[in-house]
Amino acid sequence: MTTIFCTAAARARAFPHHPLALAIVTLASLGGANGLAQSTPKADAALPPVTITGNPLGATDLIAPTDSYSGASLLLRSKSTLGETLDGTAGVSSSYFGPNASRPIIRGLDGDRVRILQNSGASVDASGLSNDHAVPTDPISMERIEVLRGPGALMYGGSAVGGVVNVIDNRIPQERQFDARGGVSGKLNLEAASGNAERSTAALLETGTDRFTLHADAFSRRSGDVGVPIALACEKPGTPAVANAICNSSAQTQGGALGGSLFFGNNRLGASFSRYASDYGTVAEDAVTIGMHSNRLALEWDVEQLPGWIHSVKVRASQTDYQHTEYEGGEAGTVFKNTGNDLRVTARHAKLGAWEGVLGLHSEAGRFSADGTEAFAPYSRTVQHAVFAFEELPLDWGRFSLGARLESVHVESSGNPLVARFFPASRSFQPRSLAMGALWNAAPGWQLSSNLAYSERAPKDYELFADGPHIATHAYEVGNNQATLEQSSNLDIAAQWKRGAHAFKLSAFVNQFNHYLAQQATGVLRDTEGNGAAGVGVIDNGNGQSLESGGTADILPEYVYTQVPARFTGIEANGKLRLLDAGQTLDLELRGDWVRAVNSTTGEWLPRIAPVRVGASLVWAQGAWSARLDANHSRAQTDGPAGQLASQPYTLVNAALSYRQPMGSTTALWFARLDNAGDVLAYPATSILTQSAPGKAPLPGRSLKLGLQLVF
């Protein structure tokens, strides 16, 4: 599997502050250089799809650990959030803040150490800021998800030190889909589930000729409170005081997009506009809901077969406006806004001897604001510019890769006119990322790979300037405005074997951090105004809970972003054994992972690290029918910082059955999925709720989902 390496040298003044403006200039110059009046080739000369996340050179054998889900495999594992959809992938867990908000955790790293992309461009939101903030994308609208772990993610900067999750939706069509006579294609999804009374609908329609393709999609998801195998109290008006459901876990989500691409010879120009909106309960507080929406404008330009040293150029630009409002008992409370621009240009150059590779630049700018009682971070502006390169050398025994990335990051706080404790400040950083990797075809069916990377991550605005109450984490958070670059060295080694339908892969990694930014309890108690809680007779017990004493309410333990040395080590394994292959197939799939993350000075564990996890699946197929039975076991997590509550072991059993029915030019896929068949009570160790609101939000109980997908 292939490492994506990153490079280079960038000065902020070398790039305009508005990526879309730069994209337009770039497009104009490329169009003039190559000529838009070229004759249109036949439809079979369509641009091939390129998985940019995995390898910009299109290699099929990748050095870095990578997983991809699409088609029926994605449909049958999709949940209401991105984190839960990917949970169970080797090395990937979920931050699980109830059924409506969760991000992927990769190899023990979460938040802004995992980069979430949308069609290889930045996904602008506030999900890294707080666990209760949802990622503005719904799995029902996705075409494919790619997960890249370890050093191979470094083309996307220090914020991808944990990995990259790339959500691909084809809203800007990547290739010709019709001939000169034109045509129409589409997809319709209908789903219903019992555990939360979910009703979901999604529709996609595409039309065009060999010169253009137009795309339109829309989706809607409604769900009630999620059923669980334990009676829980609830103070939300209009709901039962006690019920076997997670209080305040209902949600309504809808969205859609319009997009299209024009094809000029070997070139492509495309654009899309998409909207995502969601209203959901936060589950940590019975009467608090979030109303969130995101508007995104994206532009793509591909120029192929250029004369000279540069063979092809790809431009990806986007502009996103994100906002969410937290409502307390129906009244608007804190309002979070985040607007961002993103530009990425990659150019594939001619071979240098046997070397081939790409050069690129990346520019990103964002503005954040928070107004209200939970404005724990000030108004801020972040501008980032970078140049990068990825080079690969094919060899008789495999491949060798090199790369680097150099960034310029400026983070500026402008205070807040309504909050006196915030004040203007700014910091500038020059992060670097370097990496190399190799893949060795050791023997027939055997491949060995290794990656070595050094990465630097600039602190985020809230890590520098936060100073306020954060109710979702039940902490008074304080930033560290003297924080330096977070440095990490990562070694990843892997062995994989494949023979026919049999396959197995084992990988191990170690990631050593200098100046790792961790939230650490100080033992100080604060009220929501930031004042010391004098006279309070209870000290922080270290588990992140809100504390009260002597009738004093809204008292929170103080947590300060502190830089410590840290080491993450782990093992991931998965494999498939074909048990039966005679008119029908039966496969046994096995998987497991283990992560250890500690403060390497004190030896104390870092918080919310997934325990040892193992799983097995039986997958059967015959003709149009297929079925699978999964068992996933999580051991107890008893290791953690002082005062952290231990999580209990649990085993979840899931099952799925599908039938593919041809109907003329339409194919129908009928499916049924049973989640948590044993109705097991489970609390994930990776969720902050397990510590801040113990017992309040377990994983969903037994649920049956029925669905139909029509493809025409």
Side-chain angles (χ1 to χ4, degrees):
M1 305 190 134
T2 287
T3 307
I4 295 189
F5 300 110
C6 325
T7 108
R11 302 298 300 177
R13 63 177 182 272
F15 305 95
H17 288 299
H18 200 299
L20 287 178
L22 179 55
I24 293 171
V25 174
T26 305
L27 300 186
S29 62
L30 291 174
N34 204 50
L36 294 182
Q38 298 180 44
S39 61
T40 304
K42 295 180 181 180
D44 58 5
L47 294 171
V50 176
T51 305
I52 299 175
T53 308
N55 187 310
L57 300 176
T60 55
D61 292 326
L62 302 179
I63 299 174
T66 307
D67 289 285
S68 179
Y69 299 103
S70 61
S73 65
L74 175 59
L75 181 68
L76 291 175
R77 72 177 295 127
S78 66
K79 302 288 182 66
S80 57
T81 65
L82 184 61
E84 289 300 289
T85 296
L86 295 175
D87 187 28
T89 301
V92 183
S93 53
S94 167
S95 62
Y96 188 70
F97 201 93
N100 302 319
S102 73
R103 282 176 58 100
I105 300 172
I106 300 180
R107 293 182 166 181
L109 297 168
D110 61 359
D112 285 297
R113 297 180 183 90
V114 173
R115 194 72 193 266
I116 297 178
L117 304 176
Q118 190 168 346
N119 299 314
S120 298
S123 177
V124 177
D125 54 42
S127 62
L129 180 73
S130 178
N131 290 309
D132 63 326
H133 298 175
V135 178
T137 184
D138 195 289
I140 200 171
S141 68
M142 300 174 186
E143 292 285 327
R144 186 166 81 252
I145 304 177
E146 299 168 354
V147 182
L148 184 64
R149 302 185 293 279
L154 292 184
M155 192 171 79
Y156 298 93
S159 291
V161 63
V164 166
V165 175
N166 193 15
V167 176
I168 300 170
D169 53 33
N170 201 45
R171 285 168 167 171
I172 303 178
Q174 300 294 301
E175 57 182 293
R176 292 176 173 87
Q177 298 176 219
F178 310 100
D179 58 22
R181 295 173 297 178
V184 177
S185 64
K187 183 168 62 176
L188 175 67
N189 278 21
L190 302 173
E191 300 179 5
S194 64
N196 59 354
E198 177 188 322
R199 300 295 182 267
S200 302
T201 304
L204 178 153
L205 185 66
E206 293 179 332
T207 186
T209 67
D210 59 343
R211 300 298 300 272
F212 72 93
T213 301
L214 299 178
H215 170 105
D217 71 69
F219 63 90
S220 175
R221 181 195 299 270
R222 293 175 177 268
S223 60
D225 286 347
V226 174
V228 292
I230 188 174
L232 299 175
C234 185
E235 298 180 359
K236 185 176 182 178
T239 60
V242 178
N244 281 62
I246 301 176
C247 181
N248 195 29
S249 59
S250 61
Q252 298 182 20
T253 302
Q254 52 277 324
L258 294 173
S261 291
L262 298 174
F263 301 97
F264 305 92
N266 295 307
N267 307 327
R268 178 180 67 94
L269 175 64
S272 70
F273 175 79
S274 59
R275 179 174 175 81
Y276 177 94
S278 183
D279 297 289
Y280 62 93
T282 65
V283 310
E285 302 165 275
D286 292 355
V288 175
T289 60
I290 288 178
M292 178 248 282
H293 69 263
S294 174
N295 297 323
R296 187 173 190 267
L297 176 64
L299 178 69
E300 296 184 3
W301 177 266
D302 294 341
V303 181
E304 304 287 338
Q305 298 182 6
L306 288 169
W309 191 66
I310 298 298
H311 285 178
S312 64
V313 176
K314 298 181 183 296
V315 180
R316 302 290 184 266
S318 65
Q319 183 178 54
T320 305
D321 291 313
Y322 169 93
Q323 176 177 320
H324 89 239
T325 304
E326 299 187 358
Y327 295 90
E328 302 176 16
E331 296 184 2
T334 308
V335 179
F336 294 87
K337 296 180 181 180
N338 201 0
T339 60
N341 304 309
D342 178 76
L343 170 68
R344 184 179 297 272
V345 180
T346 57
R348 183 166 182 171
H349 63 72
K351 286 188 176 182
L352 299 172
W355 287 89
E356 55 184 341
V358 297
L359 307 174
L361 65 86
H362 176 218
S363 180
E364 188 173 348
R367 289 185 179 274
F368 169 83
S369 66
D371 291 294
T373 56
E374 289 190 49
F376 62 92
Y379 295 2
S380 64
R381 179 173 180 265
T382 302
V383 178
Q384 171 184 329
H385 303 298
V387 289
F388 58 87
F390 166 66
E391 301 294 326
E392 191 169 85
L393 177 65
L395 298 165
D396 292 340
W397 49 264
R399 291 200 316 280
F400 181 72
S401 298
L402 288 172
R405 174 183 172 111
L406 181 62
E407 304 176 49
S408 173
V409 181
H410 182 73
V411 187
E412 180 180 312
S413 164
S414 54
N416 185 317
L418 300 179
V419 183
R421 63 178 178 270
F422 293 133
F423 53 89
S426 66
R427 295 290 307 279
S428 294
F429 304 91
Q430 301 288 333
R432 298 167 297 168
S433 298
L434 306 168
M436 63 180 179
L439 182 145
W440 176 31
N441 295 310
W446 280 95
Q447 284 186 336
L448 304 178
S449 61
S450 178
N451 301 275
L452 178 63
Y454 171 80
S455 177
E456 294 179 340
R457 183 181 74 90
K460 300 294 290 185
D461 50 352
Y462 60 89
E463 293 173 321
L464 292 168
F465 306 126
D467 188 356
H470 192 180
I471 305 303
T473 60
H474 287 273
Y476 190 98
E477 298 188 6
V478 179
N480 179 356
N481 60 14
Q482 299 301 311
T484 60
L485 288 169
E486 186 179 80
Q487 303 166 328
S488 65
S489 300
N490 190 319
L491 174 64
D492 180 294
I493 57 175
Q496 57 181 341
W497 169 81
K498 183 175 177 60
R499 178 178 296 171
H502 308 305
F504 178 76
K505 182 174 182 181
L506 174 67
S507 61
F509 67 90
V510 57
N511 198 347
Q512 179 67 50
F513 282 87
N514 295 325
H515 312 304
Y516 180 87
L517 271 165
Q519 283 187 307
Q520 293 193 327
T522 64
V524 174
L525 299 177
R526 298 254 201 132
D527 63 21
T528 56
E529 299 299 321
N531 302 311
V536 177
V538 180
I539 62 173
D540 178 21
N541 63 7
N543 68 9
Q545 293 181 347
S546 175
L547 303 179
E548 300 182 11
S549 176
T552 302
D554 299 323
I555 299 302
L556 301 170
E558 180 186 76
Y559 279 75
V560 175
Y561 282 98
T562 305
Q563 294 194 290
V564 301
R567 181 184 295 112
F568 290 72
T569 54
I571 298 173
E572 301 158 357
N574 58 71
K576 182 175 73 171
L577 179 65
R578 178 62 54 89
L579 302 177
L580 178 65
D581 194 354
Q584 57 182 318
T585 60
L586 181 65
D587 295 332
L588 173 63
E589 297 178 352
L590 301 172
R591 57 196 168 272
D593 56 34
W594 166 80
V595 179
R596 182 176 186 267
V598 298
N599 180 322
S600 52
T601 296
T602 65
E604 184 178 60
W605 276 67
L606 298 177
R608 300 186 299 281
I609 300 300
V612 173
R613 304 183 305 169
V614 294
S617 301
L618 283 172
V619 183
W620 170 85
Q622 182 176 25
W625 289 92
S626 64
R628 66 181 297 128
L629 179 66
D630 301 321
N632 298 292
H633 176 74
S634 291
R635 294 186 60 183
Q637 179 56 285
T638 57
D639 295 307
Q644 178 171 295
L645 301 176
S647 68
Q648 299 302 309
Y650 58 85
T651 302
L652 303 181
V653 176
N654 308 315
L657 176 68
S658 65
Y659 174 71
R660 191 176 297 275
Q661 179 185 12
M663 301 167 59
S665 60
T666 301
T667 300
L669 178 65
W670 304 84
F671 67 91
R673 190 181 77 202
L674 181 63
D675 294 325
N676 194 359
D679 205 26
V680 172
L681 179 64
Y683 293 91
T686 53
S687 172
I688 184 66
L689 293 174
T690 303
Q691 306 300 322
S692 63
K696 192 171 182 60
L699 290 172
R702 182 188 299 116
S703 179
L704 175 65
K705 173 174 280 191
L706 302 176
L708 168 64
Q709 182 181 84
L710 297 173
V711 179
F712 59 89

